[in-house]
Amino acid sequence: MVATAKKFTPEVMLQAPRRGPATPSPDGKLAIFSQSTYSFDSHSKVNEIGVLDITNGQTLIISKDSKASESTWLGSGYEVVWLKELENGNTSFIIADASQPGKSYTAGTVPGPVSNLKVYTIKPGMVAIAVAGQANPDGTLYSPKDEQKPHSSARIYDSLFVRHWDRYVTNQRSTIFTGVLQKSSPKVTSRPGRYHLMGFQNALAGSKLESPIPPFGGADHFDVGSQGICFVAKDPDVDPAIHTKCNLYFINKEDFMELGSPEPIKLGELRGFDGAATSPVFSPDGNHIAFLKMKTDGYESDKNHIVLIHNFAGLATASEPLASGDGNGSWDRSPRSIAWANDGKALILETEDVGCGCLFRLDLTPPPGPGWKPTKLTSGGNVVAAAPASSDSRLLFISSNSLVDSSTYTIIDPVDPVNARVVSSLTGDGSMFGLSPAQVSSLWWKGANDHSVHAWMVKPSFYKAGEKYPLAYLIHGGPQGAWNDSWSTRWNPCIFAEQGYIVIAPNPTGSTGYGQGFTDASGLSGEVFHTSRAVALGASYGGYMMNWIQGHDLAKKFKALVCHDGVFSLTAQLSTDELYFPVHDLGGPLWKKQDTWEQWDPSRFIGNWNTPMLVIHSELDYRLTMAEGLAAFNVLQMRGVESRFLSFPDENHWVLKPENSRVWHHQVINWINHYVGLPKLLDKEGKDDSEYVKQARRAYPTAVPALGLD
């Protein structure tokens, strides 16, 4: 599926198949997944739905429809359903038999875009479905094709959230739509045995609740079960721009065909839990709900606590299974998702742990007592999904990746997790890319306040002991984030390593996955390198650090910097979308904590800016506005510092489009290579990035000043 590459380049990475998590069939013999592949030759993307034979690792593609996505199993056999986006913006539900590829049919079509498909089998031939979509003010499904163009382009707002992430807030709201896929009988149609979509409706109509929560909420914000749906939503009584408070809700839908929905019931209220919530899931018997809840309102990186709702259909009660007397919980890790084991007697947790995304199991029988902690099932790599290996098995089917492997499917036994069986590895443990796990190692040192700080070190595949290599120092975003042993097509350390760099990716205090106390702390990582050929790169909070470093002595240790979507002036953070970020991290709003805001403002030190820097900022970034990048670039130019400004009018806080990402990688790599004496990065036609620069100059002749770098 992936041709062996002589060298891991941006083109190789961006054109390699991107394979999503796989879901096993009820009998555990097959697994279904989606993948996409981009070609720079045709400048187009191909979407595919594949079926993996778990017994022999062979794959069969059952759909090459570029508009198909989100496949899942129906019932107890091999029938599957997926979503297909139509040219007019509508969405069709496509049914096929994975054991008989080549045949499919449409069960129904809804009048607009929907996504995040979830299903629950009510009985044979009847499957409840839930999807997410945008709803108009009257509750109907929004479709761009039906939108009337106004005579005026004016926008008027009377409350916060004028913009969010990469769009202006409109009258449409994210909501959950439900329905039923039901098989027909001979008495109803001449084509019995086919599913038909029935009873499609807005389950949240009239509730004033929004779920999934924008901008990143998806299938992890709701679930569908035997008695209805459960979901998390922002508390409607608080302003979402300055609060993170969420609630758990349940809608009793014993009959998914019944038109209209009861009023949502708020569940799971525990004293002191006023923060964000996510990952609600029904237990296998439908009598309980597990979800994740934070305590602190306004702190999006607070610890996720596990909360259980017992007997919610009767007298519902809530409990925290890992509670402790101090309120911090008996386990110091923060799960990022939660699921039930097949028998309903344990929870399966995906959790960051020391630079990895690991899987844990929390046994609930007997009920957890003081000091009770989950059992670790995986070490290394990054788990992205876990599902039962079959409908009646204790085994788990795990989808994961790592710094050198883009996708691996594995089966483990929670009783004996060491002897895992690899079912399929898309890139052969990295070897398809010329990469190897031997390139990756860990570093530890003492940081601020005597904290032990961890970093990933990635060497070139051609590394030879005794030879000298330039250093690429990567600073992650957040600051409550982490560099993990995980695959990425945006900031992939191996891309830089294969240019000839030793890459250091540190997780200093403030990083996630090392305990909540470490995340809540603040401090600098400390000096860990001594080299005359070093460059530093960072995005978001990492971009803030690039601007901060520019004004301080640390900049003298670097030949060049790369600042992607960084903060130039903290006062400009009043124009961000989710204002709780700066308010929390700086201890309060500007008018109450002006000294703190000024103390940590990079723009105070622009008189010291002298290190060459590439500034990148895109126009749809409403988290850190375009003016921040322009201000930094303007200062550099006015001071006569070698600098370049790269911008994309159609990208947000991230550069996601393959053609744009290709330019991004060439510009970034050739910028830093120039200053450490490495050769230019060439594309597969043997061209460097000069052609991209020439094209940009022809379109925007003053936007990319000539500095002799192309």
Side-chain angles (χ1 to χ4, degrees):
M1 296 173 67
V2 183
T4 301
K6 293 182 179 180
K7 184 176 181 179
F8 187 53
T9 66
E11 283 78 13
V12 169
M13 177 182 70
L14 296 172
Q15 291 186 117
R18 302 188 188 189
R19 189 168 71 171
T23 305
S25 58
D27 66 3
K29 294 181 179 180
L30 304 177
I32 194 166
F33 64 92
S34 299
Q35 71 178 16
S36 65
T37 308
Y38 189 83
S39 169
F40 287 116
D41 292 328
S42 63
H43 305 286
S44 62
K45 182 173 71 171
V46 175
N47 291 334
E48 296 175 322
I49 296 175
V51 175
L52 173 70
D53 188 324
I54 294 177
T55 60
N56 59 26
Q58 298 298 308
T59 295
L60 178 66
I61 302 299
I62 64 172
S63 172
K64 290 190 176 183
D65 191 330
S66 62
K67 300 295 184 179
S69 64
E70 300 191 30
S71 55
T72 190
W73 299 100
L74 287 175
S76 59
Y78 291 141
E79 287 179 296
V80 297
V81 58
W82 64 75
L83 302 179
K84 178 180 178 179
E85 177 189 355
L86 304 182
E87 293 298 329
N88 60 3
N90 294 348
T91 306
S92 289
F93 290 74
I94 307 299
I95 311 294
D97 190 324
S99 64
Q100 300 177 5
K103 295 181 179 180
S104 63
Y105 64 91
T106 300
T109 300
V110 297
V114 296
S115 60
N116 298 297
L117 173 64
K118 282 198 168 184
V119 302
Y120 176 81
T121 300
I122 301 171
K123 61 182 181 180
M126 179 179 285
V127 179
I129 62 102
V131 292
Q134 293 290 306
N136 295 311
D138 64 0
T140 58
L141 179 62
Y142 166 74
S143 179
K145 70 178 186 302
D146 298 329
E147 191 167 24
Q148 299 292 320
K149 186 176 181 179
H151 296 292
S152 170
S153 61
R155 299 185 180 105
I156 300 175
Y157 295 85
D158 295 308
S159 63
L160 291 174
F161 260 160
V162 172
R163 308 189 298 189
H164 199 188
W165 188 247
D166 59 4
R167 68 181 184 90
Y168 278 82
V169 174
T170 64
N171 288 328
Q172 285 75 39
R173 292 292 181 267
S174 177
T175 195
I176 301 166
F177 291 84
T178 59
V180 170
L181 290 170
Q182 186 167 6
K183 277 192 174 181
S184 56
S185 67
K187 297 180 180 179
V188 178
T189 177
S190 60
R191 307 184 76 177
R194 286 195 169 193
Y195 280 102
H196 297 270
L197 178 63
M198 308 175 71
F200 189 78
Q201 60 182 303
N202 182 350
L204 309 188
S207 68
K208 297 183 180 179
L209 297 173
E210 187 169 22
S211 184
I213 303 168
F216 305 122
D220 59 332
H221 282 190
F222 66 94
D223 197 19
V224 57
S226 60
Q227 301 184 55
I229 59 173
C230 61
F231 63 96
V232 294
K234 284 284 187 78
D235 190 312
D237 296 326
V238 300
D239 194 311
I242 52 179
H243 294 274
T244 59
K245 185 182 180 186
C246 295
N247 302 318
L248 173 71
Y249 298 90
F250 165 67
I251 297 180
N252 191 340
K253 289 183 69 69
E254 294 181 358
D255 184 357
F256 281 85
M257 293 288 292
E258 181 183 356
L259 294 178
S261 296
E263 186 72 19
I265 302 169
K266 185 162 65 173
L267 298 174
E269 292 190 271
L270 288 174
R271 183 183 298 274
F273 283 77
D274 299 317
T278 188
S279 199
V281 283
F282 285 108
S283 61
D285 63 9
N287 292 325
H288 312 281
I289 299 174
F291 73 111
L292 300 174
K293 178 77 170 179
M294 296 180 179
K295 286 191 169 185
T296 307
D297 183 18
Y299 185 24
E300 200 171 52
S301 297
D302 196 12
K303 177 182 176 180
N304 272 324
H305 295 253
I306 301 167
V307 179
L308 294 178
I309 309 298
H310 311 274
N311 191 30
F312 66 90
L315 183 62
T317 59
S319 69
E320 183 190 357
L322 296 178
S324 64
D326 60 7
N328 295 326
S330 60
W331 190 41
D332 67 352
R333 293 301 186 256
S334 179
R336 60 191 184 192
S337 73
I338 187 171
W340 290 87
N342 256 345
D343 58 7
K345 296 180 180 180
L347 296 174
I348 307 301
L349 312 169
E350 294 175 33
T351 307
E352 281 186 272
D353 185 56
V354 192
C356 299
C358 299
L359 202 66
F360 290 79
R361 175 186 168 97
L362 174 64
D363 289 313
L364 300 177
T365 54
W372 196 285
K373 293 183 180 181
T375 301
K376 191 172 183 178
L377 301 180
T378 67
S379 298
N382 178 56
V383 174
V384 295
S390 69
S391 60
D392 59 356
S393 173
R394 76 183 184 196
L395 303 181
L396 295 173
F397 188 98
I398 297 173
S399 302
S400 64
N401 56 45
S402 72
L403 280 165
V404 298
D405 193 350
S406 65
S407 174
T408 299
Y409 299 148
T410 309
I411 293 178
I412 68 167
D413 185 342
V415 177
D416 183 24
V418 175
N419 295 312
R421 177 168 73 91
V422 176
V423 178
S424 172
S425 177
L426 182 61
T427 53
D429 204 21
S431 59
M432 290 288 187
F433 293 143
L435 305 176
S436 165
Q439 295 175 238
V440 182
S441 58
S442 288
L443 295 176
W444 290 90
W445 70 90
K446 291 293 183 181
N449 301 321
D450 213 31
H451 283 291
S452 293
V453 174
H454 172 240
W456 290 109
M457 180 169 69
V458 183
K459 300 176 182 177
S461 59
F462 46 86
Y463 173 82
K464 293 182 179 179
E467 294 190 3
K468 293 184 177 180
Y469 299 86
L471 171 72
Y473 195 75
L474 306 183
I475 301 181
H476 66 65
Q480 297 90 2
W483 295 113
N484 287 325
D485 183 13
S486 61
W487 187 260
S488 174
T489 56
R490 291 190 288 117
W491 286 87
N492 192 316
C494 292
I495 282 289
F496 300 100
E498 291 306 276
Q499 289 297 306
Y501 291 93
I502 300 293
V503 180
I504 303 295
N507 289 327
T509 48
S511 300
T512 52
Y514 301 84
Q516 193 60 37
F518 193 87
T519 302
D520 294 339
S522 61
L524 300 178
S525 59
E527 181 182 325
V528 297
F529 61 90
H530 299 276
T531 177
S532 60
R533 290 196 301 158
V535 293
L537 309 88
S540 196
Y541 173 77
Y544 163 87
M545 285 304 300
M546 293 301 102
N547 288 336
W548 182 265
I549 288 170
Q550 267 283 23
H552 293 79
D553 289 342
L554 184 57
K556 298 176 183 178
K557 293 183 175 292
F558 296 106
K559 294 292 186 181
L561 305 173
V562 176
C563 175
H564 178 115
D565 293 353
V567 175
F568 173 78
S569 171
L570 280 179
T571 57
Q573 284 302 284
L574 292 175
S575 65
T576 192
D577 52 358
E578 295 175 346
L579 287 160
Y580 51 75
F581 271 116
V583 170
H584 175 273
D585 287 355
L586 295 168
L590 175 62
W591 53 92
K592 291 184 178 181
K593 296 288 184 177
Q594 188 165 351
D595 289 347
T596 304
W597 284 60
E598 291 178 353
Q599 178 184 358
W600 300 108
D601 191 332
S603 67
R604 290 178 54 221
F605 306 98
I606 56 178
N608 300 327
W609 284 26
N610 287 301
T611 303
M613 185 157 76
L614 170 63
V615 180
I616 307 169
H617 223 110
S618 297
E619 294 186 23
L620 296 182
D621 185 357
Y622 301 153
R623 181 63 47 92
L624 293 165
T625 65
M626 177 79 159
E628 295 292 88
L630 285 170
F633 176 66
N634 290 349
V635 166
L636 291 163
Q637 289 284 296
M638 292 172 67
R639 288 184 53 78
V641 180
E642 286 189 301
S643 51
R644 173 171 286 175
F645 184 66
L646 174 62
S647 178
F648 302 96
D650 54 349
E651 299 283 4
N652 53 37
H653 201 54
W654 304 325
V655 176
L656 301 177
K657 295 178 172 62
E659 300 285 351
N660 288 344
S661 183
R662 183 189 200 184
V663 175
W664 184 97
H665 278 90
H666 276 258
Q667 286 292 303
V668 169
I669 290 171
N670 284 333
W671 178 267
I672 58 177
N673 283 7
H674 170 79
Y675 288 100
V676 299
L678 288 177
K680 283 189 173 184
L681 171 65
L682 306 179
D683 61 24
K684 67 177 184 177
E685 289 85 17
K687 302 175 183 176
D688 61 24
D689 69 335
S690 60
E691 185 59 32
Y692 305 125
V693 175
K694 290 175 182 176
Q695 293 174 7
R697 287 208 182 105
R698 284 195 291 268
Y700 307 100
T702 62
V704 189
L707 294 173
L709 299 177
D710 58 329

